[in-house]
Amino acid sequence: MSGGLSYDPATVVANTSQNLVWVLGACIVSFIGAYMQYFGAIQMGFKHRTHSIPLVGNLWFFSHDTTYVMNFHHWFNEVDFWLVRAFWVALLVFATCECVVTYQILRFSRRDLFPGMSLPQALTRYVGLQLFTYGLFWWFMSMIKDPYYLLSFTTTVVLAPMFNIAMMRARGSRKGFSPFLLTGFVLLTAGFWAWMFLSDPYFLQPFFWLVAIGNIGISVAAIFYFRKLPEYRAPATS
């Protein structure tokens, strides 16, 4: 990658203005997909009494989104770009959704993810993992120049569908997943990469094309894998 991990902020603003309809369309598709991902995950989590967002993903997404939200003064007073302010509102909702998924992990999946631990012990371990993930995220941000969080957004979109097939394989059924949820990943990834390609020629490098193709491909593959799995049947309760 020539030029290191950095894009040109002025180019992003100029291209957003020149291609406003297309950029907004891609952003809308991407965020609709992201909301489908989390709303679908929360719905299926309560329905099947499990978690539908992988632990490592929820930890990373929460670190990213809450860091963005905590930088309110920066986005609304120091950066003159309306799009990043719209993201602030969207990520405030996502951070709330991630808290709900955290509850589902500790409430329904504690025995699987934290075997042998009581709720206080599991909560302590989860908080420790979250703090560790904050450290990783801030370390990553210290190594790049990412004034509009486009590169950090990229990490969340790449990570989002990565473990879906592995989770379905481990469960051996459709537990925790639905067509609505999995379609969200396809819209998220397709819309996001269209948005990036329109934002700056920097994202047209072969490296990003390979990542984009793989990212969208994994999202589509999860739908086909889901269709081959049996329906989940909750165990009988006394």
Side-chain angles (χ1 to χ4, degrees), residues 140-214:
F140 167 73
M141 293 297 288
S142 72
M143 296 188 294
I144 62 175
K145 295 180 180 179
D146 195 11
Y148 297 146
Y149 264 48
L150 298 187
L151 292 172
S152 66
F153 274 121
T154 302
T155 65
T156 65
V157 173
V158 170
L159 186 61
M162 189 172 294
F163 299 100
N164 287 342
I165 293 178
M167 287 179 67
M168 286 187 278
R169 283 179 59 88
R171 293 172 176 177
S173 70
R174 297 180 178 183
K175 180 179 181 181
F177 289 92
S178 68
F180 177 83
L181 162 62
L182 294 172
T183 301
F185 287 101
V186 178
L187 296 179
L188 165 65
T189 53
F192 176 81
W193 286 108
W195 165 33
M196 288 300 98
F197 295 154
L198 290 166
S199 295
D200 192 331
Y202 169 79
F203 291 101
L204 294 174
Q205 297 180 80
F207 168 83
F208 286 110
W209 276 103
L210 290 173
V211 175
I213 292 170

Side-chain angles (χ1 to χ4, degrees), residues 99-114:
C99 289
V100 177
V101 172
T102 299
Y103 168 81
Q104 292 177 332
I105 289 173
L106 295 173
R107 175 67 177 84
F108 302 129
S109 302
R110 175 163 51 90
R111 293 181 180 178
D112 295 329
L113 298 177
F114 304 100

Side-chain angles (χ1 to χ4, degrees), residues 14-144:
N15 285 355
T16 300
S17 299
Q18 293 171 7
N19 304 289
L20 184 60
V21 174
W22 293 105
V23 169
L24 280 181
C27 286
I28 290 171
V29 169
S30 181
F31 273 87
I32 287 175
Y35 282 125
M36 289 173 65
Q37 168 198 347
Y38 258 92
F39 290 167
I42 290 171
Q43 177 195 17
M44 297 308 297
F46 283 117
K47 181 178 180 180
H48 291 169
R49 299 180 66 81
T50 187
H51 69 288
S52 302
I53 300 294
L55 172 64
V56 63
N58 202 61
L59 290 167
W60 184 263
F61 303 152
F62 190 76
S63 297
H64 172 276
D65 295 352
T66 54
T67 300
Y68 193 102
V69 169
M70 286 187 291
N71 281 326
F72 176 89
H73 183 270
H74 175 67
W75 303 122
F76 284 85
N77 295 282
E78 298 175 0
V79 176
D80 186 21
F81 189 26
W82 60 270
L83 192 57
V84 300
R85 298 170 184 171
F87 293 158
W88 186 92
V89 177
L91 294 186
L92 186 62
V93 177
F94 278 120
T96 303
C97 292
E98 287 146 12
C99 289
V100 177
V101 172
T102 299
Y103 168 81
Q104 292 177 332
I105 289 173
L106 295 173
R107 175 67 177 84
F108 302 129
S109 302
R110 175 163 51 90
R111 293 181 180 178
D112 295 329
L113 298 177
F114 304 100
M117 293 188 185
S118 65
L119 179 57
Q121 289 173 328
L123 178 60
T124 301
R125 180 67 59 87
Y126 191 95
V127 171
L129 289 172
Q130 188 65 73
L131 293 174
F132 171 72
T133 308
Y134 270 119
L136 287 178
F137 178 74
W138 293 335
W139 177 51
F140 167 73
M141 293 297 288
S142 72
M143 296 188 294
I144 62 175

